[in-house]
Amino acid sequence: MTSDLKDDEKPGTGDDLFPALRPDSDRTALRFGERSVTYGTLASAAGGLAVRIGGASRVALWATPTLETAVGVVAALLAGVPVVPLNPKTGERELGHILKDSAPRLVLAGPGDELPAALAGVERVDIPVSGLGGPPPGPVDPAAPAMIVYTSGTTGPPKGAVLPRRAIAATLDAVADAWAWTGDDVLVHGLPLFHVHGLILGVLGPLRRGGELRHLGRFSVDGVRRELGSGGTVLFGVPTMYHRLAEAVGEDPGLVRALAGARLLVSGSAALPLPDHTRITTATGRRVVERYGMTETLMNTSVRADDPKARPGSVGVPLPGVGLRLVDEAGEPVAAYDGETIGEIQVRGANLFTGYLNRPDATAEAFDGDWFRTGDMAVRDPDGSVRIVGRRATDLIKSGGYKIGAGEIENVLLDHPGVREAAVTGEPDPDLGERVVAWIVPTTPGTRPTPDELTAHVAAELAPHKRPRVIRYLDALPRNDMGKVMKRALTV
Ligand code: MCA
Ligand code: AMP
């Protein structure tokens, strides 16, 4: 039976997060390369899987950049089962930690995916991309945990940020307001699907609006040119991706047309350097809009699509529903909007996580009352917009938009038999923003472990994106009188 009602006027499946998810909808929801699903097929596939996994305490999701991952996360949300996205390239030690900490009852994976031995003890459920659906989901408590996303700190292994369902809804509706994001938009991106940026904003965002996602599988300039040039309206990326577009755009008329034709270009996860803003705007006439978020807080601020005055370097104004303050060294709120007085950004609102899994100590430390301490340092301009000027912790490195803790890499390097001492720092990098540098004192002078050996060791234990890009050898690490490594002295 056909209906004259528009999709957004028809009765839905009853799901509060995805009102457009209707069994009878033939609107395209998701496209990954040649494969796509409509909202109707997605409702059936995810609805059926939701029945299968319903009642599980927690599920892991083998988050490849594929349609299956998107169906898996929607199914878990329909079922009200907390889902832990896993980076399929995670090394042995990090995966072991995440599985022990989160204790998933099931692992959702694509039918052809090969899972590592660490997951052998967890029951596997293959994710279908079609199906017979299931009964409409029952209401899920907005305060219930929806997703657990692992994020690095300065020391120790990653912590699982527990994100309630209401935070996902709140953040997606807030950015929709800032970006005038509707069901008519076609989002293009090639972000990984095991972090907030790619998975929550980049997959759940378009689904909440009833729009379309075209995922590139992996980021490439060619993919952006092709998809934005053939109906895509919005692009999401980390600064490294915009840097690569900025490098290419001067000599690529097709890319110029594709970017110039987009409704909105959004960058986040790290600061987009001024020269990249300038090169893209000069070539295309379009500006890149920056937004500022964090795994624990989802999105905090953004340049608004309807604010033509926002300057490059600004991350915009607090999103609707987000309380934001700057706090000085003494713990006092900064009153000034003078573009000069620096304070730590603290935020509160429905967008926040509820705590770190199994880590009440770390959760307590992260809050000042109901204000979450982000560790990011910023100033506020007279128009209320925020400019990030640095980070409180020097032991956090942002490389390619990934947050990496120096401590976790040092611990792994120290486990290598050829390493006596190790220190890890971040250095400016034109492509990655920062690159991971490892300073190594070999166990036996004269027989150094090779850079390839150390790099492969970190990639295999933690994750390839955490591997050092540069290895430097020293006879001893510089230490102060207390024996503490003086990282500031580690420069060439
Ligand atoms: C290289 N590879 C290796 C090794 N060396 N594998 C094992 N051992 C080695 N020694 C492999 C990698 O696995 C990868 O495989 C390929 O070589 C290239 O890796 P890499 O050099 O790391 O890639 P890149 O070119 O440097 O990647 C740049 C990138 C990437 C595409 C921009 O950094 C990226 O996707 N960043 C997105 C980060 C993100 O989404 N952050 C959001 C979190 P293969 O070729 O198979 O891939 S922040 C967040 O969520 C907050 C809320 C926010 O505000 O957004
Ligand atoms: P993550 O913990 O991986 O979610 O990364 C969150 C961190 O990324 C924030 O605390 C900021 O330091 C950084 N970040 C995210 N968006 C921006 C942005 N637009 N500009 C500067 N830094 C950003």
Side-chain angles (χ1 to χ4, degrees), residues 425-475:
T425 56
E427 259 178 21
D429 184 278
D431 182 46
L432 296 170
E434 286 182 287
R435 58 177 167 257
V436 174
V437 180
W439 306 78
I440 300 293
V441 179
T443 311
T444 319
T447 51
R448 303 167 162 181
T450 65
D452 282 353
E453 208 179 323
L454 295 175
T455 301
H457 176 64
V458 175
E461 291 289 319
L462 298 179
H465 67 261
K466 297 184 178 177
R467 70 189 192 277
R469 308 286 172 138
V470 181
I471 307 271
R472 300 209 176 98
Y473 300 91
L474 298 170
D475 294 332

Side-chain angles (χ1 to χ4, degrees), residues 89 190-192 195-198 218-219 238 240-241 244 268-269 291-295 298-299 398-403 431-432 455-456 459 464-465 467 469:
K89 295 211 178 91
L191 292 156
H195 275 311
V196 166
H197 194 167
R218 57 182 304 164
F219 173 83
V238 297
T240 301
M241 296 170 180
R244 293 177 186 180
S269 302
R291 89 324 178 256
Y292 158 63
M294 200 172 173
T295 302
L298 304 185
M299 297 303 116
K398 262 272 162 166
S399 187
Y402 288 112
K403 186 191 267 184
D431 182 46
L432 296 170
T455 301
H465 67 261
R467 70 189 192 277
R469 308 286 172 138

Side-chain angles (χ1 to χ4, degrees), residues 116-297:
L119 277 160
V122 184
E123 188 185 337
R124 171 184 184 141
V125 176
D126 281 349
I127 301 169
V129 292
S130 62
L132 295 174
V140 182
D141 179 1
M147 216 180 271
I148 297 160
V149 180
Y150 278 80
T151 180
S152 291
T154 51
T155 57
K159 303 185 286 282
V162 181
L163 298 165
R165 196 176 180 85
R166 65 163 176 253
I168 295 174
T171 218
L172 294 180
D173 293 347
V175 292
D177 179 80
W179 301 338
W181 189 0
T182 72
D184 291 333
D185 277 311
V186 176
L187 173 66
V188 174
H189 72 83
L191 292 156
L193 300 187
F194 44 84
H195 275 311
V196 166
H197 194 167
L199 191 58
I200 297 187
L201 286 197
V203 173
L204 304 183
L207 295 180
R208 183 155 173 85
R209 303 272 74 82
E212 180 181 332
L213 162 66
R214 291 191 198 166
H215 194 278
L216 304 176
R218 57 182 304 164
F219 173 83
S220 71
V221 171
D222 286 348
V224 170
R225 186 197 309 102
R226 186 184 63 242
E227 297 302 335
L228 274 188
S230 59
T233 65
V234 177
L235 178 70
F236 285 177
V238 297
T240 301
M241 296 170 180
Y242 282 102
H243 176 74
R244 293 177 186 180
L245 292 170
E247 294 269 271
V249 77
E251 290 151 23
D252 188 335
L255 183 60
V256 171
R257 274 195 300 278
L259 292 172
R263 186 180 76 74
L264 198 64
L265 309 173
V266 186
S267 173
S269 302
L272 183 64
L274 206 55
D276 293 328
H277 270 288
T278 307
R279 280 196 288 181
I280 291 174
T281 303
T282 305
T284 67
R286 303 308 305 258
R287 63 182 180 146
V288 181
V289 160
E290 283 199 74
R291 89 324 178 256
Y292 158 63
M294 200 172 173
T295 302
E296 291 88 334
T297 66

